[in-house]
Amino acid sequence: MKIAVFASGTGSNFQAIIDAVSAGELAVEIGLLVCDKQEAKAIERAANHGIPTFVFSPKSYPSKEAFETDILEQLKAHSIDWIFLAGYMRLIGNVLLGSYTGRIVNIHPSLLPSFPGKDAIGQALQAGVKLTGVTIHYVDEGMDTGPVIAQEAVRIDESDTRESLQRKIQATEHRLYIQTIGNLLTGARA
Ligand code: GRF
């Protein structure tokens, strides 16, 4: 199985996937990083591990269809089977949804359907909830709306700051994403 990871930023989830593959814990090949930000740290992580990267500038295209058509060409050229979003800050459009139906997955730092969209951790703190968490879901045309694959709760303690909560959520994300990718791709092979 060959996967592509889409990221726009730091790429700590991308790194967790790289590390799990290197450690032999995840039997997949990371065939491509797709990135829409020239300065993203994820690009450096890919370079450190010899992972091919397609970096594009959305503004230089007339439409989402146009840049997704270029992405699709890259995915095909690298024989990518599944797409895993890891902090990719754009909605996926019809070109990719049509070609990778049921094979695009996202991770989100809340228990969806609570707190979709940007800054889910800040939204949870603002709402004063005692439990938040991590959701992994199939991607559809909406924002963080596709069918849920896996969820895990993270407790918000009185003493938590934004930083400490973020650390707990990240640790959960890294573990749950690896486990879920493994489960999904084993299922896909059966
Ligand atoms: C993660 O919290 C993920 O759930 C969300 O974006 C963040 C990406 O973090 N979709 P990183 O770039 O993987 O560190």
Side-chain angles (χ1 to χ4, degrees):
M1 281 289 161
K2 264 183 115 173
I3 69 168
V5 176
F6 285 33
S8 303
T10 314
S12 74
N13 281 282
F14 177 45
Q15 186 69 51
I17 298 169
I18 293 172
D19 292 346
V21 171
S22 303
E25 291 160 13
L26 195 55
V28 303
E29 188 184 335
I30 309 171
L32 187 66
L33 170 72
V34 173
C35 184
D36 61 344
K37 292 249 160 51
Q38 313 287 333
E39 70 283 4
K41 186 164 163 60
I43 297 169
E44 196 182 309
R45 297 184 193 272
N48 289 341
H49 293 272
I51 296 168
T53 302
F54 177 60
V55 187
F56 69 101
S57 177
K59 284 197 184 118
S60 68
Y61 289 87
S63 64
K64 186 185 291 265
E65 284 70 25
F67 66 69
E68 285 200 345
T69 299
D70 272 7
I71 295 173
L72 185 58
E73 194 176 301
Q74 293 290 323
L75 295 170
K76 299 282 181 210
H78 290 275
S79 307
I80 300 300
D81 300 300
W82 283 73
I83 297 170
F84 291 92
L85 309 184
Y88 181 67
M89 301 302 283
R90 291 177 182 279
L91 288 179
I92 299 294
N94 291 334
V95 172
L96 293 178
L97 284 171
S99 295
Y100 280 84
T101 310
R103 285 169 179 249
I104 309 179
V105 173
N106 183 40
I107 185 162
H108 184 78
S110 76
L111 293 176
L112 291 171
S114 291
F115 313 129
K118 283 192 182 156
D119 193 21
I121 295 175
Q123 291 183 55
L125 286 170
Q126 183 68 30
V129 294
K130 301 294 179 200
L131 273 185
T132 184
V134 173
T135 301
I136 295 169
H137 64 95
Y138 288 108
V139 171
D140 63 12
E141 58 289 336
M143 184 175 312
D144 304 321
T145 51
V148 171
I149 302 166
Q151 285 187 311
E152 191 170 314
V154 172
R155 185 190 300 275
I156 303 181
D157 297 316
E158 291 289 330
S159 58
D160 268 325
T161 60
R162 192 190 167 85
E163 289 67 34
S164 67
L165 179 57
Q166 191 162 340
R167 274 198 299 277
K168 289 198 285 191
I169 287 189
Q170 270 189 344
T172 305
E173 285 192 329
H174 298 168
R175 180 171 36 74
L176 194 63
Y177 218 4
I178 301 311
Q179 193 183 313
T180 305
I181 294 171
N183 290 345
L184 279 172
L185 299 194
T186 304
R189 266 199 297 272

